[in-house]
Amino acid sequence: MLWLFLTVPGLLCAYFIVMRPILHAIPILKSFYIEANTFWGKAWALTGRSVTVIWGLFLTGIGTVFQCLDPIASALGDPDLKAQVIEALKNNPQYLAYTMIGISTITIVARLRSMGKS
């Protein structure tokens, strides 16, 4: 894991110092870099201007955080947080149902928005 902390900063520096100016000079990518000049502009351009893709990535992030909840909770001082969340959902299954209804509603609305644009 230590190698990761040592190589990632070097790779980032290499990208920003060497690769980024080269990519800006390529004619095909000039329009992309003009459109995606800010962080949110890049995120919007990389997702293909699709709310559905952004929503899918958001749900993937939530799933990843829930998967890594035990190590995160241990670092924050509550080693059995995942068990507490599961117990709360077991005692109140309607919360899980409300969450699934909300997720499916947002997914349907995002998909209909994407379909309406084309």
Side-chain angles (χ1 to χ4, degrees):
M1 197 66 168
L2 179 63
W3 66 270
L4 186 65
F5 290 115
L6 296 176
T7 56
V8 170
L11 291 174
L12 286 173
C13 287
Y15 169 74
F16 284 110
I17 294 171
V18 177
M19 288 301 297
R20 189 173 168 101
I22 293 171
L23 292 175
H24 274 281
I26 297 174
I28 295 173
L29 296 176
K30 276 190 177 188
S31 64
F32 171 77
Y33 279 109
I34 289 171
E35 175 187 339
N37 200 16
T38 64
F39 172 78
W40 294 113
K42 282 184 184 104
W44 185 242
L46 287 174
T47 57
R49 298 180 182 183
S50 173
V51 176
T52 309
V53 172
I54 292 172
W55 180 244
L57 291 172
F58 177 73
L59 291 178
T60 302
I62 289 175
T64 303
V65 168
F66 192 72
Q67 181 68 27
C68 301
L69 198 58
D70 278 338
I72 293 170
S74 294
L76 296 176
D78 191 6
D80 62 339
L81 182 62
K82 190 173 183 178
Q84 293 171 3
V85 170
I86 290 171
E87 187 64 33
L89 289 175
K90 200 182 304 181
N91 292 339
N92 302 307
Q94 70 269 15
Y95 293 146
L96 187 59
Y98 296 151
T99 303
M100 291 294 120
I101 290 170
I103 288 172
S104 64
T105 302
I106 292 172
T107 303
I108 291 168
V109 168
R111 185 64 191 135
L112 288 174
R113 180 185 173 277
S114 296
M115 288 172 48
K117 284 186 161 186
S118 54

